[in-house]
Amino acid sequence: MDIRRLTHFIALAEEGRFAVAAERMHLSQAAFSRSIQVLENRMGVKLFDRGAKGASLTPAGEMVLARARTLVLDAQNLQHDVDLIRQGDAGEITLGAAPVPAAVIVPGLLSRLRRNSPELVTRVRLGNLPALLGQLNAQAIDFCLGDPRLVPPQPRYAMASVGRQLGAFYGRIDHPLARAPRVDAEAIRRYGVATIAISPALMDGVAPAYGFKGHADFPLAVECDDLGTLVHLAQHTDVLALITRSVGDTHPDSLRRLATVENKAPFADVHAIWLRDRTLSPAAQRAIGLAQELGVQVSGGG
């Protein structure tokens, strides 16, 4: 069905005169009349009675008018929805988030997406990066946020940096080490450490920055991928939490950042990761761009 000709038909039905309807459609009267004639020929029925006073709907025209208005409105709504999807303002995306970006990036990202694109449906899947990559491979998610250092390099993935998160050791505000001018590896060893899951290879790079020989020497007490739980442990026990500064520093009344050897190595090097051979939707591209903006704001470099 020709939506353009149906629009002309509706205009004539509402205006009742060819000249007025043609002007409304920005057409010459001759071109407008031909459009109505073609529509009648294609339908095989007479839609208007022509007379000195103009054009009036036939019974067939009355029936067609109601359906035509529905079809034209549906077409307009469809085009509107397509425009929104093209701009990244509508449709659906599903993203995955590993523990660090889930805590420091995702809340702000969801807020911005909701404000900027209220018609966009966003689904979030949480988990460790290997599990999220499994969902990515199955195309169950559009992209995920995580630290690619946790898994072996794979050429099937494309990546974009979302920002580095610096880490630090935190203890409760009245912890025995809270006021120490400098906390060394032996002091940390006495209380044990609670942190997220870190691969042995990555821990071999992190541990020496704090005076430990490697992952086998690191005094791990609790491994948990929920940063809120790690914060709770540090607030209520003697265990020390190795977490991002962007999370730990938000609890100044209950946690204290310990004075360890100054370490600028990233605790988490967050990237957006997606399948290289799968084209990202405009909405997913916009979400990654917003995540990159937020990553700069919450870099935890203070």
Side-chain angles (χ1 to χ4, degrees):
M1 187 62 63
D2 190 327
I3 297 298
R4 180 174 61 87
R5 296 191 195 282
L6 287 179
T7 303
H8 298 167
F9 164 72
I10 293 170
L12 182 57
E14 292 176 348
E15 301 294 346
R17 302 188 70 85
F18 277 87
V20 177
E23 183 178 358
R24 172 173 154 181
M25 292 291 99
H26 306 290
L27 291 173
S28 68
Q29 185 169 341
F32 185 84
S33 296
R34 284 196 300 271
S35 178
I36 297 298
Q37 186 63 54
V38 168
L39 182 64
E40 288 181 317
N41 290 341
R42 287 183 179 176
M43 287 190 172
V45 294
K46 189 177 181 180
L47 300 175
F48 293 97
D49 287 322
R50 282 83 164 166
K53 295 183 178 180
S56 60
L57 288 167
T58 65
E62 293 281 1
M63 184 275 294
V64 171
L65 179 62
R67 298 294 299 274
R69 282 174 169 155
T70 299
L71 287 170
V72 170
L73 180 60
D74 286 345
Q76 291 171 343
N77 289 338
L78 174 61
Q79 185 59 56
H80 174 70
D81 290 345
V82 170
D83 290 341
L84 289 175
I85 291 171
R86 186 177 65 249
Q87 297 163 12
D89 290 330
E92 297 184 3
I93 59 171
T94 303
L95 64 96
V100 171
V104 303
I105 300 292
V106 169
L109 175 59
L110 293 178
S111 296
R112 288 198 179 189
L113 287 173
R114 192 62 193 162
R115 288 197 302 269
N116 298 343
S117 307
E119 297 190 44
L120 178 67
V121 176
T122 306
R123 295 182 174 87
V124 181
R125 303 291 181 256
L126 305 179
N128 59 49
L129 187 57
L132 292 175
L133 291 179
Q135 296 185 53
L136 185 65
N137 294 338
Q139 300 190 26
I141 58 178
D142 296 295
F143 69 92
C144 62
L145 300 173
D147 189 336
R149 298 176 301 166
L150 294 170
V151 295
Q154 297 189 44
R156 68 188 309 180
Y157 301 129
M159 302 183 192
S161 176
V162 174
R164 294 184 167 189
Q165 293 288 314
L166 299 181
F169 284 93
Y170 290 83
R172 67 175 192 274
I173 201 73
D174 58 346
H175 193 281
L177 299 179
R179 300 291 180 180
R182 182 68 65 190
V183 176
D184 58 18
E186 288 309 308
I188 294 172
R189 196 187 306 278
R190 286 200 299 272
Y191 297 99
V193 179
T195 190
I196 62 173
I198 301 176
S199 68
L202 182 54
M203 182 59 81
D204 283 339
V206 172
Y210 297 106
F212 302 100
K213 296 177 182 178
H215 75 275
D217 186 44
F218 190 78
L220 180 67
V222 176
E223 182 181 274
C224 176
D225 281 339
D226 181 75
L227 269 68
T229 299
L230 298 178
V231 167
H232 182 85
L233 278 170
Q235 290 170 330
H236 296 91
T237 72
D238 281 344
V239 75
L240 304 176
L242 176 57
I243 55 178
T244 65
R245 298 182 187 186
S246 54
V247 171
D249 288 351
T250 61
H251 301 275
D253 296 332
S254 58
L255 291 181
R256 184 175 296 276
R257 189 199 299 180
L258 304 186
T260 57
V261 175
E262 187 65 18
N263 174 31
K264 290 294 184 180
F267 176 71
D269 192 5
V270 180
H271 284 63
I273 306 171
W274 65 95
L275 293 175
R276 188 177 299 277
D277 60 356
R278 183 183 182 190
T279 301
L280 288 172
S281 68
Q285 294 178 40
R286 173 172 290 188
I288 291 173
L290 291 173
Q292 290 174 311
E293 293 176 13
L294 288 164
V296 172
Q297 296 176 15
V298 296
S299 62

